[in-house]
Amino acid sequence: MEISGAIDGLIGHLPPGSTLEELNQAAKVIEELEACSEIGWRLAFAALEAELPGTMDGCCRMIRDHKTYEFLPFPFLEPETYAHYHLEQAGLSVPDGLASGFNLRTGMICGRPARLPAPTVRMTGLSTFAPG
């Protein structure tokens, strides 16, 4: 049986061997989302490719939540620049007098683990994205 979809490339990002019921589950999620807003398929596909959810429930969750991801340019491929980026996005910075106690590369503050945002996921050499 050949299965095709109206969204170019979607079938290739869904779990292999999906049942008709599971494909209909994805179709329903997509239909509901598109009724409210436009789906950014480039970003949704990148998230699916990076996370590789093994179930249709996982795929549907990622399609619903795809806007929590973002593409980051090359300078943010290193942990330290990524940490600075998140600090800037939150309107924060490390005061000069305290900078020596922060190691944004390892996530340590004064020798103790810091609670920084989730690490980036490397994407096929072109871009990086992380949950927003």
Side-chain angles (χ1 to χ4, degrees):
M1 170 185 348
E2 184 177 319
I3 298 175
S4 63
I7 301 164
D8 213 17
L10 176 62
I11 297 296
H13 287 88
L14 298 177
S18 297
T19 66
L20 187 56
E21 183 180 337
E22 290 170 325
L23 293 171
N24 283 334
Q25 175 188 356
K28 184 177 179 186
V29 167
I30 292 165
E31 189 176 82
E32 290 169 358
L33 282 174
E34 287 187 333
C36 301
S37 66
E38 187 174 320
I39 297 173
W41 284 110
R42 183 172 170 250
L43 184 58
F45 287 164
L48 286 166
E49 188 175 310
E51 300 285 347
L52 294 174
T55 65
M56 190 60 75
D57 286 336
C59 284
C60 290
R61 188 171 34 261
M62 294 211 59
I63 292 169
R64 270 189 220 100
D65 298 339
H66 77 281
K67 290 183 181 180
T68 62
Y69 289 83
E70 62 184 310
F71 286 104
L72 298 176
F74 276 117
F76 297 112
L77 291 176
E78 296 298 323
E80 189 170 357
T81 54
Y82 177 69
H84 281 288
Y85 168 78
H86 269 283
L87 288 171
E88 288 174 12
Q89 292 298 307
L92 303 171
S93 64
V94 178
D96 290 335
L98 299 176
S100 63
F102 289 80
N103 185 335
L104 297 177
R105 176 166 289 286
T106 62
M108 301 294 276
I109 299 175
C110 297
R112 300 175 72 185
R115 292 189 176 187
L116 295 175
T120 57
V121 178
R122 232 173 259 274
M123 297 295 300
T124 60
L126 296 176
S127 60
T128 302
F129 74 90

